[in-house]
Amino acid sequence: MPATAALAVLERFDGLPPRDTALYEREGQLSLLHCLLQDSLRGNTRLAVVSGALGHGKTELLDAFAAQAKRLGVVHVAATASRAEQPVPFGILAQLFQAVDLPQHISTRVSRLLDQAMGSGGSAPPHEPGAIPPQLFHQMGTVLHDLVELSQPLLISVDDVQYADAPSLLCLSTLARRRRTAPLLIVLSEHPSPQSASVLLNAELPPEPMSHRVLLPPLSRGGVRALLATRLGESAASRLAEDCLAVTGGNPLLVRRLIEDTAARGEPFALHAGPRFERAILDCLYRCDPYVRTVARQMAVLDDPEYIPLLSRLPDVDPRHLSLTLGVLEETGFLREGAWRHPQASAAVLHEMTAEERATLHTRTGTLLFKNGAPVTAVAHHLVAASRIDNDCAASVLLEAAEEGLATGDTALASNCLSIAYQYGRSEQHRATTTAMLFRTEWRADPRTAARRIPTLVEAAREGHLSGRHVSAPVDALLWFGRPEAALDALERMERHAWQRQDVEASAHLQTRRATLGVLYPAMVYGDGASAPVPAEDGPRWASSRSQVLSELIRVLQVGPNAPSTLAAEQTLVSHQLTDETVPSLAAAIDILLINGRHASAERWIDTLVSVTRKQSASAWHALFISLEARLALQRGNPAKAARLAEAALAEIPTASWGIMIGLPLSVALEAHTLLGAYGAALAQLQVPTPDAMFQTPLGLRYLRARGRALLGNGQSQAALDDFLAVGELAGRWRMDVPAVLPWRTDAALVHLLRGDTTRARELATEQLGLVRQGQHQVRAVTLRVLAATASTEERGTLLGHALEAAQQCGNPVVLAYTLHEMGRCDQEAGQYSKGRMALLRARQLAEECGVQLPARTLPEAPRGQQPPAVVGGSDELVGMLSDAEMRVVALAVRGHSNRQIAAKLFVTVSTVEQHLTRVYRKLGIKRRSDLTLALHGGDYARRAS
């Protein structure tokens, strides 16, 4: 078709191309190509370079434009360059010639010239122009001129021109420069790469206005939204457009594949990057230069923008091209500010490599970071990913990174580092150290899991392979799981090894563990009743303070609360951070504060330690300090909170992981449920299995006492008494018979009171009172209250008065509520009804605030002969129902006095007595005098009336 005919057809479109609905935001580029086509049809040769990142739609744009041009009658010949054929001289021209039906003589000539080009030689590489003889180059240019003459108007397109051979490009450039007035349009498409600029520069393309560059930018948010709407609908498109743009960088190919993955997932309102997205990433990557793929792999392995500048120091990374290559990856939509836009993109690059390739890159990257002073955790990340090390330096880095991981709560990093380091182990000492660190790492989360390493640690201890702070690991494990004899044996062996090696650090840690042994298993060290030893003056100061607080705890358990122990506890908590080695000392310090009644200080430190254990992901430690927090709540008179915290601690780690320490949360839970009257919950806790070795520890004493109180509340008095007496026997044997810590005598006295053995109950209470020291207010209040139950009426009031004074100073509202309850009863028995009523009302208020239940009598009665002839039973509801005058009348009426006798005793008229009784009957819901005793002692009528 003549050029004038094609021009006439084109001009009827007003210079605007038909809209191609498959292309988004490419109308401007199509319009520019159409304008260039118009110019060429007017006899002005034009050349366009369409440039855009991979996946931006260059091929689609060329195809759409070529289709429109062919509909106008333009002859279109196309070629596609490839990296594999780039060394072939005139490879692009060969494709162009094959796309046209040439006359026979021209076709024969082309074949001959191509054969000559393949066989030509020279000093230059075959894909460079210098390798082609000038005469051959001139002849190929002549044939290309003939092609233009035979096919007018002509559109020549070359896709992926960055991979075109240089002779073909130079011929096309020469054609454009020499045939300036031909109806010819040459369109080249290329994606940016470090080498593409030099390829086009060597081609000597003509300048403007003959040549133009057509840029294909990424899609805007509107373009992404339009693409989303075609598949997922307008609503999902509006919601997902911003996120989709962030993930893909506006790359149309990546957007389409992300949409396909999301649609296949069936959740249109949540983006999902799946296999199609990953495949698109790899498709783009494999179409890039090999150098771009190399950098992309290194970036996927590095995975940290901070260290990108270091990549230029790698042997296969060219510093001159690194920034250009990173720009290509940014433009393609893989990276944003040096970081991968989506983890699936980097994952796709990593998975595309073989395991050996990944390991090699990670090892090389780790070495690079180490040599340039990166943190050990950053280096260790790559050594772990490589799953192998081959030198002592790398092993040291892994151990150091594991330490840092434990300090920051990254137990996964610590475990991974130690696992790789253990595999490398070339010496028994290295393997023993690594095993000890693995044990500590696993112990934090679950001691039961770590316990499988105990035999290895014990063997290492016997052989002397452990040193420094790692010597404490086997001792801690054996003590925790109830094997004190084995712990003592390992301790003594390691002490000898440490002395022989002059390992001062190991000796200090072993000194602390010997003190821990004395705290947990007093029969092993203090069975003869000896007092706790003071740490040696010549020991290391930093270790002495840790062992000092453990010795102070033993002293507190043996002699009771004292001020010096509080000071030692505070100093320990201030001077030591929470680590594997300091946990026993810090827990002992908290225990001292609790026994000494320093509740505010204990609360402050417990809150700090609980927060630290949570950040460090140390479940075992967290459970331990939560148990101490539960005990604090119990001592403060909040059994509901104590029960909740104790059960939370028990749920933190498996029961089997607690070892002997399970006595701590169990004893708190038992006592709290008993105070709350939840005897079913308390009995359920008794079903939790406990190790036999726990009863060799002070924790076992606490558990026995709590179990006895739970059994007593359930009506099993003999079993309860057996537990209380067992506490007394063991406490006496270990010289820990301190009422302020274990008031077992008053517990046993309660059982004897229930059985009517007031004499034995009084003996126990009197004995305990003699052991109570000044300032021990809570145990004094409890002891006096029990003693009062065994006393005469006159003495009882005095004893309860002293008990109330102590209860008001102890800071435990439960103890105060029980004491007020007994005091109110005592006042009413003495005829002081108003005073008694106020005490009972206050007791009930405190009991409700604490969640505890007050029985009809908090304490059992003494024998009837010791009681005054007054009303002693009755329901608490009567306190608020009857006035003092009515109570005095009722007290005499239930003892059988007539109305006249009551009037004479109270110095009132008979009519007044009758009026009081009438009001009492009405308030109690009874009709006759004979019902009065039942209403007061049985409680049915009183409850019905209330």
Side-chain angles (χ1 to χ4, degrees), residues 817-838:
Y818 284 175
T819 307
L820 282 170
H821 192 65
E822 292 304 316
M823 192 72 189
R825 287 295 186 185
C826 182
D827 289 338
Q828 288 196 334
E829 291 169 1
Q832 300 179 23
Y833 298 108
S834 179
K835 182 179 178 182
R837 182 170 64 251
M838 292 178 62

Side-chain angles (χ1 to χ4, degrees), residues 423-585:
Q423 295 173 12
Y424 166 74
R426 293 183 177 178
S427 68
E428 293 296 334
Q429 287 76 13
H430 173 84
R431 281 192 289 270
T433 299
T434 308
T435 301
M437 294 181 68
L438 277 169
F439 166 80
R440 291 297 192 190
T441 304
E442 295 167 349
W443 185 276
R444 292 188 178 195
D446 185 1
R448 180 182 56 178
T449 301
R452 72 184 192 275
R453 301 189 187 276
I454 293 178
T456 304
L457 288 173
V458 171
E459 182 62 26
R462 289 173 179 169
E463 298 298 327
H465 297 320
L466 291 172
S467 61
R469 59 188 175 78
H470 302 297
V471 296
S472 60
V475 180
D476 287 345
L478 293 169
L479 293 177
W480 184 282
F481 285 109
R483 297 171 58 187
E485 294 83 4
L488 182 59
D489 178 68
L491 183 64
E492 292 174 344
R493 288 175 180 269
M494 288 189 292
E495 284 175 336
R496 289 195 296 270
H497 292 308
W499 182 81
Q500 293 170 357
R501 292 192 302 260
Q502 296 186 345
D503 190 340
V504 177
E505 183 182 6
S507 297
H509 283 283
L510 292 172
Q511 179 189 34
T512 303
R513 286 325 181 253
R514 184 171 283 277
T516 305
L517 175 65
V519 170
L520 292 178
Y521 298 93
M524 293 288 297
V525 182
Y526 308 104
D528 58 355
S531 298
V534 178
E537 293 295 333
D538 57 351
R541 293 182 179 179
W542 61 273
S544 177
S545 63
R546 295 211 307 264
S547 58
Q548 173 72 33
V549 76
L550 293 162
S551 299
E552 286 293 341
L553 177 57
I554 297 178
R555 184 176 289 115
V556 169
L557 294 174
Q558 290 183 339
V559 303
N562 58 84
S565 64
T566 299
L567 179 61
E570 290 282 3
Q571 289 176 342
T572 298
L573 290 164
V574 168
S575 59
H576 292 92
Q577 293 183 341
L578 181 66
T579 65
D580 299 282
E581 290 72 31
T582 61
V583 169
S585 300

Side-chain angles (χ1 to χ4, degrees), residues 392-416:
D392 293 340
C393 180
S396 299
V397 168
L398 289 175
L399 294 181
E400 186 177 349
E403 293 281 9
E404 189 166 333
L406 291 176
T408 59
D410 193 348
T411 53
L413 172 64
S415 180
N416 292 334

Side-chain angles (χ1 to χ4, degrees), residues 256-518:
R256 288 189 175 94
R257 299 301 174 262
L258 188 61
I259 292 173
E260 291 172 3
D261 281 333
T262 301
R265 185 71 173 269
E267 299 176 4
F269 293 100
L271 287 175
H272 172 66
R276 298 171 182 83
F277 179 79
E278 292 185 10
R279 188 70 254 170
I281 292 288
L282 296 179
D283 287 345
C284 291
L285 197 58
Y286 267 89
R287 291 175 58 194
C288 291
D289 289 333
Y291 180 77
V292 175
R293 187 160 66 250
T294 298
V295 173
R297 287 180 166 187
Q298 190 63 65
M299 288 291 294
V301 168
L302 183 64
D303 199 27
D304 192 337
E306 180 182 354
Y307 301 113
I308 289 178
L310 298 180
L311 294 182
S312 61
R313 304 184 185 183
L314 293 173
D316 56 351
V317 175
D318 188 344
R320 297 171 300 173
H321 292 158
L322 179 59
S323 60
L324 292 175
T325 304
L326 293 175
V328 170
L329 294 173
E330 294 252 2
E331 189 175 348
T332 309
F334 291 2
L335 305 178
R336 178 173 54 190
E337 298 179 357
W340 290 91
R341 287 182 173 270
H342 195 279
Q344 287 299 109
S346 61
V349 177
L350 289 173
H351 296 160
E352 174 265 340
M353 292 185 280
T354 65
E356 181 63 26
E357 289 173 331
R358 286 195 300 270
T360 300
L361 281 180
H362 277 296
T363 300
R364 190 171 64 174
T365 303
T367 303
L368 174 70
L369 296 182
F370 177 76
K371 289 181 177 179
N372 287 275
V376 291
T377 51
V379 178
H381 168 77
H382 294 287
L383 299 181
V384 169
S387 297
R388 66 189 184 195
I389 57 175
D390 57 4
N391 57 77
D392 293 340
C393 180
S396 299
V397 168
L398 289 175
L399 294 181
E400 186 177 349
E403 293 281 9
E404 189 166 333
L406 291 176
T408 59
D410 193 348
T411 53
L413 172 64
S415 180
N416 292 334
C417 289
L418 294 171
S419 297
I420 301 300
Y422 182 82
Q423 295 173 12
Y424 166 74
R426 293 183 177 178
S427 68
E428 293 296 334
Q429 287 76 13
H430 173 84
R431 281 192 289 270
T433 299
T434 308
T435 301
M437 294 181 68
L438 277 169
F439 166 80
R440 291 297 192 190
T441 304
E442 295 167 349
W443 185 276
R444 292 188 178 195
D446 185 1
R448 180 182 56 178
T449 301
R452 72 184 192 275
R453 301 189 187 276
I454 293 178
T456 304
L457 288 173
V458 171
E459 182 62 26
R462 289 173 179 169
E463 298 298 327
H465 297 320
L466 291 172
S467 61
R469 59 188 175 78
H470 302 297
V471 296
S472 60
V475 180
D476 287 345
L478 293 169
L479 293 177
W480 184 282
F481 285 109
R483 297 171 58 187
E485 294 83 4
L488 182 59
D489 178 68
L491 183 64
E492 292 174 344
R493 288 175 180 269
M494 288 189 292
E495 284 175 336
R496 289 195 296 270
H497 292 308
W499 182 81
Q500 293 170 357
R501 292 192 302 260
Q502 296 186 345
D503 190 340
V504 177
E505 183 182 6
S507 297
H509 283 283
L510 292 172
Q511 179 189 34
T512 303
R513 286 325 181 253
R514 184 171 283 277
T516 305
L517 175 65

